[in-house]
Amino acid sequence: MAEHNNIYYTEGLSLPETPPPGEEPGFWKQTRMVGKRIPRVDAYERVSGTAVYPSDITLPNMIYGAVLRCPHPHANLIKLDVSLAKKMPGVRAVITGQTPAARNLTWKYNNYSGPLFDTRCRFEGEAVAAVAADTHFQAWDAVRAIDAAYEVLPFVADHNKALSEEAPDIHDNGNLAGRDEYARGDVAKGFDAAEVVLENTYETQCELHTPMELHGCVATWDKDRLTLWESSQGVYAVQSEIAEVLGMPLSKVRVIGHYMGGGFGSKLKPGKYTVLAALLARQTGRPVKLILTREETYLCVGNRPANTMQVKAGVKKDGTLTAWDFACIGPSGAYPAGGTALVDWQFRDLYACDNVRCTSEDVYINAGPARPFRAPGHPQASFALEQMMDDLAHEIGMDPVALRLKNIPEISQGRNRPYTTTGLKACIEKGAQQFGWEKAVQQARAHNQTDSRIKRGVGMGSCVWFVGGGGPPSTVIIKLFRDGSVNLNMGASDIGTGTKTVMALVAAEELGVRPGVIQIEYADTETTQYATPSGGSKTVPTESPTVRNAAIAVKRQILEMASQDLEVPAADLDYGGVEIISRKDKNKRIKVTDVSRLKKRGVVVGIGYRGPNPSDKSVNPFAAQFCELEVNTKTGEMQILRFLSANDSGRVLDRLTYDNQVFGGIVMGIGFGMTEFRQLDARNTGRLCNRNWHDYKLPTALDVPVDMESLPIEIDDPKANNTGTKGLGEPVTIPTAAAIANALFMATGIRFTRAPVTPIEMRRHLTAIKEG
Ligand code: MOS
């Protein structure tokens, strides 16, 4: 057996107290592991390239799938002849809407359900047929050999035109996918009470999901049982959808998703490709790998939809907000996918205001369906709200930081109940202080008085994220072996954020073992516990309290066992990692590995569950971000000099993964604010123009500041859950684009109401000013 010092990170130090059965653990006071910079437990696999992602899976006899997709934004399929394709070299199967196994299957988009293969194609990229062949290239050759003909229909690609008379109906009931309304107080009265009323319209462009790992899976059958390796954010979500589509018992669908290369919301559910891979595998009796190309993912796996937002705001000269009136329209794409869902939350909840009205209209257009995209809806609304706040501050001659501090809400007005804790004020105040806001504003103003063509600006924005984890369900099992080593079993996926490392850290904190000794079994529907998908910034606040409870369940059992050896009541024993020690008589102690019943049983199993969040409170993370940048007013080039993000996400578990999230969120926000947009050929063909990494501009190293700072604002939040965590992944990207736009306003005097602000857009505005 391994030496103790290979297993434990500390000896002699007492660990967190073990609450007696039935009692909740108290809030951690001092911690030894939590809050430190702990490298990833799987760092070696990630860096060495030995980590196996679904796209790396190779099975004996495996063949390759490819999909024929409709090249038009709107068309009826009028001819589909696959006879030549079937005869192509290496081809093992071709499936279409006429294939018996596929004919009666349905596919769902939220509340919509339609045939798996629909002859009415409503977006470019709609699946028309699928092929499996011995090699990837043979599969694609066969796709090209399929003879398909279409009756091309009129299309609409612009959400602002989707409800007009000229727009063709995409669905039988027209192009209105949904409408949301919210109101509190009396908006008209609010505007009467205002001393300044401003109105503006903001537009954000459609952003495409670009995870490094493409979407797809490997599917294989063993008699009536399907196994899928899917690049996914949640294996149980894939299991349930695929079982439903194929009419199979859940027990017969196994989904494994160990490593995955990013999802950002577009991998919360399986895709049609998952079903197609399963069908091709069943038809051929061979494992099938179906990984989409980048072009395909840009067409069909999701996007952050464009939004057009009208904002009217009322404020008193002392900075009191009196009314918000917000109206938004945005597209779901060709099917209901929530194109405007949650867009209004920042307006409802972030700043204190008694009179708020929000209307959101979701419409269909002939383009790929939207999907959740890191804080769905929120960066769009933040781009509008935070720029309006900046304008209001400007108009009443108040500092933007001061205006926000003037309007910190006491409770969650969106939910009409108190927050467990709110760090909004602290994020703004401490963020501004750390950033050196006042000095930076003065210096930028002074610099802009000179005749340099380089102008400088600073800007900020803040945000609330609308949830903070939750449960049930959340179940975790921890096994402690007789040598003291530990196995942690949970269903949650690690979507690249460091979930495994963070959970190992929590177990290590309670049990005293080194995180690296903890073997983690995860994200496999056959061998691990049920978990909801990793999304909504909820994995840490949902799963970490459960991990803690599972570790405590182990400790309680071992204390009971040791109590027999030591003849001391369990309540008088301390769990010290290596040893169990009597609190009353320090001489009475026994090594965990010497506990008789553990030696006999070989292993102790602890099960952890998580209760619900408090029902009378709202658990929310908050953030404030600060940006300093320069604009070359001759060329339109922009350079972000520095960025600071102050985040109240509750307790920091691993400072290293925490900071990584913050930096990643800022980078993604820079893409949304400055470089990324889907370009459809809206006038002529309706097709996607930028479908690769050359034409679709992701921010690169040169677009990102070297000077990025993460400032955690830790406020004890024992009411949220037993680890005091609230979630970080999404709030880190919500106000980024707005902070940039506000800095650009200070630098140039131009209010950029359209995102992204590319150098071309900047030049256009600068030229317009020059030409008067
Ligand atoms: Mo996130 S958009 O909930 O993956």
Side-chain angles (χ1 to χ4, degrees), residues 525-722:
T525 58
E526 179 154 293
T527 60
T528 67
Q529 307 314 302
Y530 185 84
T532 50
S534 293
S537 307
K538 70 176 176 45
T539 312
V540 164
T542 299
E543 306 295 338
S544 69
T546 314
V547 170
R548 193 175 176 206
N549 286 338
I552 288 167
V554 165
K555 294 206 291 189
R556 280 179 186 145
Q557 291 175 67
I558 292 178
L559 289 178
E560 277 300 328
M561 293 175 179
S563 135
Q564 293 185 359
D565 287 314
L566 296 173
E567 297 180 331
V568 172
D572 292 338
L573 295 175
D574 261 341
Y575 195 103
V578 182
E579 284 184 309
I580 313 291
I581 306 153
S582 165
R583 230 172 279 138
K584 292 184 177 151
D585 177 359
K586 302 282 176 203
N587 293 319
K588 289 202 168 177
R589 47 174 67 207
I590 183 170
K591 283 189 171 165
V592 169
T593 50
D594 288 336
V595 171
S596 320
R597 278 169 64 200
L598 175 60
K599 284 194 343 200
K600 195 168 168 196
R601 280 203 205 172
V603 65
V604 166
V605 176
I607 306 181
Y609 302 99
R610 183 205 201 279
N613 285 358
S615 59
D616 58 341
K617 299 216 163 48
S618 187
V619 183
N620 297 90
F622 298 86
Q625 296 190 337
F626 301 81
C627 167
E628 179 163 15
L629 50 70
E630 282 180 350
V631 180
N632 183 325
T633 54
K634 191 167 171 77
T635 64
E637 285 168 290
M638 292 161 276
Q639 190 176 11
I640 299 177
L641 302 175
R642 61 193 182 108
F643 225 104
L644 181 140
S645 186
N647 286 84
D648 161 30
S649 290
R651 187 165 217 148
V652 179
L653 296 189
D654 183 345
R655 183 65 198 271
L656 210 49
T657 60
Y658 187 98
D659 288 355
N660 286 343
Q661 276 284 21
V662 172
F663 302 148
I666 293 169
V667 171
M668 203 170 221
I670 290 171
F672 176 67
M674 301 179 89
T675 70
E676 295 180 54
F677 60 94
R678 173 177 76 183
Q679 183 65 57
L680 297 174
D681 176 16
R683 256 185 235 142
N684 298 312
T685 64
R687 300 187 68 192
L688 177 62
C689 303
N690 49 350
R691 54 180 73 199
N692 54 57
W693 281 2
H694 178 269
D695 298 322
Y696 184 84
K697 302 290 186 196
L698 293 163
T700 67
L702 292 177
D703 301 306
V704 171
V706 176
D707 184 353
M708 285 198 276
E709 191 172 351
S710 157
L711 179 68
I713 304 292
E714 287 187 276
I715 299 168
D716 285 355
D717 195 345
K719 293 215 178 72
N721 55 61
N722 73 33

Side-chain angles (χ1 to χ4, degrees), residues 233 263-266 268 372-376 465 495 534-537 730:
Q233 294 174 240
F264 311 108
S266 67
L268 287 165
F373 194 141
R374 200 171 189 172
W465 172 236
I495 58 175
S534 293
S537 307
E730 281 156 305

Side-chain angles (χ1 to χ4, degrees), residues 351 386-407 428 432 437-438 441 445 458-462 626 742-743 745-746 751:
Y351 299 119
E386 293 299 300
Q387 288 205 76
M388 181 53 92
M389 288 294 281
D390 207 57
D391 271 341
L392 292 174
H394 197 74
E395 201 64 29
I396 61 174
M398 198 167 175
D399 180 81
V401 168
L403 176 61
R404 285 166 176 87
L405 289 172
K406 171 88 187 168
N407 292 286
I428 296 169
W437 172 262
E438 280 178 28
V441 168
R445 289 220 175 102
V458 290
M460 59 92 53
S462 50
F626 301 81
N742 288 338
F745 176 75
M746 183 191 271
R751 181 53 70 189

Side-chain angles (χ1 to χ4, degrees), residues 157-159 162 206 303-308 329-335 337-340 361-365 368-370 678:
D158 178 347
H159 60 272
C206 174
N303 54 72
R304 182 192 297 288
N307 286 108
T308 304
I329 183 167
S332 264
Y335 295 97
T340 58
E361 269 183 346
D362 207 345
V363 297
Y364 296 122
I365 59 167
R678 173 177 76 183

Side-chain angles (χ1 to χ4, degrees), residues 42 47 139 154 290 348 367 372 400 403 541 642 724 726:
D42 55 4
V47 173
L290 204 174
R348 292 193 203 186
L403 176 61
R642 61 193 182 108
K726 304 200 286 187

Side-chain angles (χ1 to χ4, degrees), residues 184-197 312-325 352-356 392 407:
R184 70 168 176 254
D186 184 333
V187 175
K189 269 195 190 148
F191 286 120
D192 283 346
E195 288 166 290
V196 169
V197 174
K312 186 175 172 187
V315 70
K316 290 189 180 166
K317 290 208 169 121
D318 70 356
T320 308
L321 293 168
T322 61
W324 284 118
D325 197 355
C353 184
D354 290 336
N355 309 299
V356 179
L392 292 174
N407 292 286

